[in-house]
Structures are given as C-alpha cells and as structure tokens.
C-alpha cells in the first residue's frame, strides 16, 4: 500500500509522510549551547582531565576522545565554559569543518566554534541523522565569505522532519547498518590508495637509485640508505649541480610591496605530488622585489621547501621568486631538473634528519647544499625521468579512480540518509 505524502513546507525537505511532523531544533532539545577558548598564554589551562572538544574533533560519527584537555579550575574562570554530559550532538559552526556533525560519547566542554545540543525526548540517533542531512542547506544559509558561519540561531530555528518515535528508532538503526557498510567500502578504497602511493614511492626510489637496466653492474654508493648504485653513476652534493638561491619576504605591512606582476610563492602554494608550480596566492611589486635579498628563478628550476614541511618539491613552470621557506635550485648544464625532482621527492625522511629547531624543524641552506644524491649521466637522467612520467601517470590515474569512487560513496551515503530521514523511502518493519 502506497504511503500518503504531504508537503513539509520546507523546500530542502520536500514531501514527508502524512503522519510525520516538522519541528524546530529548539523544540527538540532542552540544552543548546556553546563554549569558549581559555587563554593560550597560560599553559596550566591546558593541563588537566576535562575534555575540550573543538571543531577539528568532529568526525561525522561518534566522538570517544578529543585532542585537548583543560584543567578543572578553568571551568570556574570562564562563565562561557560548561561541562556537557554525554551523549550530545555537536555541530561545527565555522572553520574548515563547518557543518560537520557528531554525537559525543564523552562528557566535555567545547570551544566557541561548536554548538552543542543535548537532552531530548526523541530518539537521539535519528535527530543526529536528520540534522546531518541538513548540512548542505545549513552551509548554503551560512553567513560570511572566506569563512562561512552557521550561527546558533540558525541551528535553533532549523526545521527537521520528525516521524513517530518507533519509526525514528527503526530508521536510525537501519542507517547505522547502511552507513557502516558504505564507510567500510570507502575505507577499502582509502587502503588501496595508500597502497598505490607506497607503490609509487617504491617505483621512483628503484628508478632513481638503480636505474632502468636490471643487468647493469653495481657499485657501493657510500651512503647507507641509498645502498648500491649502477656503475657510471656519481654521488654528488646538490650544490655541485645547482646554484642555490634563498628566498625572502618583503615587509608585509607595506602595501606598496605587494599586488604587482612578479610571481612569489611559499611552501603553501604547492602540494605533494604536484610537479609544476606557476605562481602563488600573492605577487610582489617591483618595490617589494627590490627590497628582498633574493633573485628571480628561471623557468625549470627546482623549488625545495626547507620547512613546514621539509622536502616538498616542485618545478617552476614560469619565472618567479620565493619566500624564505623555500630554496630555489637553478640547474647547471650537467643536470636534468625533472630527474632531481623525482629523486628529492622520495628522500623526505632523510632531509628531515638534517632539520633542526624547536617550534618547527628547518633544514639549513648549507645542509641542503651538501646533501648527496646519486646522479647518472645526463642522457640517463632524461630517460629515467621520462619513464617515471609515464609510470607515475598510470599510478596517479588509478588513484584518481579510487578517489572518484570514494566521492561517489560519500554522495550515495548522503542521499541514503536524506531519503530515509525525510520518509521518501521506508524501512520495512
């Protein structure tokens, strides 16, 4: 027998079964609140046993632990800090995780970026799924440009579908099982991606240390973590094959230094696996460039991140300069930059060993310049780079397919939740 449906009156929900209602969040929870951040200048504030949940802890499922704890005495010092008893629903109101939602299975306080919803006479897990299904709508209604903000008032006034209590439990139990199945499939794809990335690293490592001919005679490299290399290859310091140029940053508070036509990059302007970089988020003006003790790097130079993180590499596809977090490596005639890009990309852990510092690790320009790599003759460098271009492209394509499957599973999970919490699909009794 076909169920009778009615218009919910809420565009994002659409039709719902005729015996369902639509209720505001503030009608469903007796506790709705937030929190604050204790002063970071007082280290003793963050030494304790009270869970302090932040938006980064909101994982989309159950929260059973959090990254930070605060001292018990902090509760009496900040009136905005409340200790919420589990279970409670928690929503990220702004930041990178805006709209994410979890159920906390631990007592805790929260920071100001989180909204807590606790104590309800409805079935808690159903409310979790119903609010979760409204994420796209909430983000659409969020305020702000670069950092959308979902206010507490918007959450309080959010209307969600509400079936009879037995139906709520039946839907939530079904979604627990179904979402777990989908998550398991997504986790399998993530495992395969990790394996492909490890395989890609091994392919690069083998090629840049052993070459392409498995029958070539080998010799000791003299470097323990490299082992043997083909005869005819040489171990050389990076400074023997490149002119190394340190980057710099002009005064940030002088507007005349910026928004010109000179590309300027930082380590944040390129990512792992990105071979070419064309420019960054900001450009220098001629005045800004002249005020820096750096030089423009010709196209085809190697860009090496000396900190945060150490060892991130790319090749500049256009003339540019960098900040002090990068070292520019201008190749000499005896080296093929793409080969060295692949070589340095797999030695991140070794570069890390040469780093120093307390707040963050950094490899000095001198340590980098004296770092030894295995160099085959120029023609062989080109052949290895060409081989790795083809091989890595094949592996990257497989990784992209896996990532597409993960995205498809996420969309499927989202649609399953929506269809059942709005009653468009029915769970069999």
């Amino acid at each position: 027998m076909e169920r009778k449906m009615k218009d919910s009156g809420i565009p994002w929900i659409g039709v719902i079964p005729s015996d369902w209602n639509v209720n505001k969040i503030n009608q469903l929870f007796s506790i709705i609140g937030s929190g604050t951040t204790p002063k970071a200048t007082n280290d003793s504030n963050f030494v304790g046993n009270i869970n302090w949940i932040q938006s980064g802890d909101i994982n989309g499922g159950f929260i059973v632990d959090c990254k930070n704890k605060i001292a018990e005495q902090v509760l009496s010092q900040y009136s905005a800090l409340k200790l919420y008893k589990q279970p409670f629903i928690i929503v990220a109101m702004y930041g990178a995780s805006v709209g994410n939602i979890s159920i906390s299975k631990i007592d805790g306080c929260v920071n100001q970026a989180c909204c807590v919803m606790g104590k309800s006479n409805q079935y808690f897990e159903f409310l979790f799924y119903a609010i979760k299904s409204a994420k796209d709508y909430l983000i659409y209604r969020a305020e702000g440009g670069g950092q959308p903000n979902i206010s507490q008032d918007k959450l309080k006034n959010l209307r969600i579908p509400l079936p009879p209590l037995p139906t709520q439990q039946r839907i939530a139990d079904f979604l627990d099982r179904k979402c777990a199945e989908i998550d398991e499939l997504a986790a399998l794809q993530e495992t395969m991606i990790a394996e492909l990335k490890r395989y890609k690293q091994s392919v690069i490592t083998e090629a840049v240390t052993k070459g392409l001919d498995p029958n070539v005679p080998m010799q000791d490299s003299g470097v323990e973590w490299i082992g043997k290399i083909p005869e005819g290859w040489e171990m050389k310091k990076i400074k023997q094959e490149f002119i190394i140029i340190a980057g710099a940053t002009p005064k940030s508070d002088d507007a005349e230094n910026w928004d010109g036509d000179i590309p300027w990059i930082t380590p944040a302007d390129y990512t792992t696996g990105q071979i070419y970089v064309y420019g960054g988020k900001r450009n220098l003006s001629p005045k800004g460039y002249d005020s820096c003790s750096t030089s423009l790097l010709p196209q085809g130079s190697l860009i090496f991140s000396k900190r945060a993180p150490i060892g991130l590499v790319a090749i500049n596809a256009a003339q540019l300069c960098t900040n002090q977090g990068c070292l520019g490596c201008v190749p000499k005639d005896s080296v093929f930059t793409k080969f060295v890009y692949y070589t340095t990309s797999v030695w991140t852990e070794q570069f890390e060993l040469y780093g120093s510092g307390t707040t963050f690790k950094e490899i000095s320009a001198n340590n980098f310049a004296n770092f030894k790599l295995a160099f085959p003759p120029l023609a062989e460098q080109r052949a290895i780079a060409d081989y790795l271009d083809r091989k890595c492209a094949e592996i990257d394509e497989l990784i992209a397919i896996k990532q597409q499957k993960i995205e498809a599973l996420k969309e499927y999970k989202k649609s399953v939740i929506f269809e059942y919490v709005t009653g468009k699909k029915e769970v069999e009794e």
Side-chain angles (χ1 to χ4, degrees):
M1 181 178 175
E2 188 175 348
R3 286 187 300 172
K4 291 183 178 180
M5 306 293 283
K6 66 180 180 183
D7 184 8
S8 68
I10 310 297
W12 75 267
I13 296 176
V15 296
I16 57 174
S18 58
D19 61 336
W20 288 31
N21 295 315
V22 174
N23 288 70
K24 287 184 178 181
I25 290 294
N26 63 5
Q27 297 173 316
L28 301 174
F29 296 93
S30 57
I31 293 176
I32 299 178
S34 187
T36 191
T37 300
K39 286 183 179 180
T41 51
N42 188 348
D43 291 341
S44 64
N45 286 344
F46 297 93
V47 180
N49 299 312
I50 304 295
N51 295 310
W52 184 56
I53 304 171
Q54 302 171 84
S55 54
D57 296 308
I58 302 176
N59 55 27
F62 293 131
I63 296 176
V64 295
D65 197 8
C66 59
K67 297 182 186 73
N68 293 294
K69 317 285 182 179
I70 56 175
E72 190 171 352
Q73 66 266 21
V74 176
L75 293 175
S76 60
Q77 297 170 3
Y78 293 85
S79 59
L81 273 178
K82 297 177 177 62
L83 183 62
Y84 296 101
K85 296 294 183 180
Q86 65 88 20
F88 54 83
I89 291 172
I90 181 169
V91 180
M93 294 191 291
Y94 55 85
S97 54
V98 61
N100 284 358
I101 176 172
S102 284
I103 295 179
S104 178
K105 293 291 187 177
I106 54 175
D107 298 344
C109 302
V110 303
N111 73 350
Q112 64 275 16
C114 300
C115 179
V116 167
M117 305 169 198
K119 286 193 179 179
S120 177
N121 58 6
Q122 304 299 318
Y123 195 70
F124 219 68
E125 280 75 8
F126 175 84
L127 298 179
F128 163 73
Y129 283 118
I131 299 169
K132 193 181 186 78
S133 71
K135 178 179 177 178
D136 288 346
Y137 170 75
L138 286 169
I139 293 175
Y140 173 74
R141 292 288 312 280
E143 298 172 352
Q147 191 178 48
N149 186 334
I150 301 172
S151 68
Q152 225 180 100
D153 283 341
K154 280 190 171 62
L155 285 168
K156 288 178 179 178
N157 289 298
L158 174 70
R159 290 177 168 85
I160 61 172
L162 198 71
L165 205 56
T167 306
Q168 292 180 34
Q169 182 171 354
R170 194 161 60 248
I171 291 171
D173 290 348
F174 166 80
L175 288 175
D176 283 345
R177 295 190 301 272
K178 191 68 178 177
C179 290
E181 291 172 5
I182 298 170
D183 290 343
E184 188 175 348
L185 292 172
L188 179 61
Q189 298 299 319
E190 292 282 9
T191 299
M192 288 190 281
I193 286 173
E195 290 174 353
L196 283 166
K197 287 181 177 179
R198 283 194 292 270
Y199 173 58
K200 179 179 176 181
Q201 288 292 96
S202 69
V203 167
I204 295 172
T205 302
E206 183 74 12
V208 300
T209 59
K210 303 296 183 279
L212 304 179
D213 183 359
N215 300 314
V216 69
M218 306 295 285
Q219 62 181 353
D220 185 15
S221 69
V223 178
E224 183 179 353
W225 47 269
I226 290 181
K228 291 187 176 182
I229 58 175
E231 286 186 1
W233 289 34
E234 294 182 69
M235 294 299 300
K236 296 181 182 179
K237 295 177 180 179
I238 292 175
K239 67 182 180 182
Q240 292 176 259
E241 298 296 312
F242 290 92
I243 299 168
I244 300 171
I245 298 174
T249 300
K251 289 183 178 179
S252 58
D253 57 356
D254 187 345
E256 293 184 1
N257 287 335
W258 304 96
D259 300 325
D261 56 2
I262 301 172
W264 178 80
I265 66 167
T266 76
D269 291 316
Y270 60 103
T271 59
T272 302
Q274 177 183 342
I275 298 178
Y276 296 105
V277 59
Y278 293 83
K281 298 178 183 68
R282 304 190 73 182
N283 281 6
L284 302 184
S285 68
K287 179 188 174 186
Y289 174 73
D290 289 341
S291 72
C292 290
S293 55
T294 188
S295 301
L296 283 170
L297 302 173
Q299 179 181 343
S301 300
L302 185 76
I303 313 296
F304 180 90
S305 168
K306 58 187 287 196
R307 66 185 184 205
I310 294 175
L312 190 62
V313 288
I315 298 171
N316 63 320
Q319 191 180 58
L320 51 74
C321 56
T322 77
N323 80 336
Q324 63 274 19
C326 298
L327 293 170
C329 308
V330 181
K332 298 178 181 179
D333 292 340
S334 55
V335 68
F336 186 56
T337 305
K338 178 73 76 68
F339 171 81
V340 184
Y341 162 82
Y342 282 119
T343 302
T344 50
S345 72
V346 294
W347 297 136
T348 303
E349 289 184 12
Q350 302 302 325
F351 284 119
E352 282 274 357
L353 294 176
Y354 284 83
S356 60
T358 52
T359 306
F360 53 81
K361 290 185 75 173
E362 176 176 331
I363 185 171
S364 68
N366 184 60
N367 281 345
F368 173 74
N370 287 293
F371 193 93
K372 285 187 175 182
L373 299 173
F375 287 90
L378 185 58
E380 196 171 352
Q381 291 181 37
R382 293 180 183 275
I384 291 171
D386 289 345
Y387 163 79
L388 288 175
D389 281 347
R390 295 190 301 271
K391 193 69 179 177
C392 290
E394 293 171 5
I395 299 170
D396 288 343
E397 187 176 353
L398 293 174
I399 291 173
I401 291 170
K402 302 296 181 189
Q403 288 172 332
Q404 288 168 8
K405 287 182 179 179
I406 291 171
E407 291 305 312
L409 285 166
K410 287 179 180 178
E411 288 301 314
Y412 174 56
K413 179 179 175 180
K414 188 190 299 184
S415 69
V416 166
I417 294 172
F418 175 79
E419 293 290 327
Y420 283 93
V421 300
T422 59
K424 294 172 180 61
K425 287 187 178 178
E426 186 176 11
V427 179
E428 296 181 5
E429 296 189 36

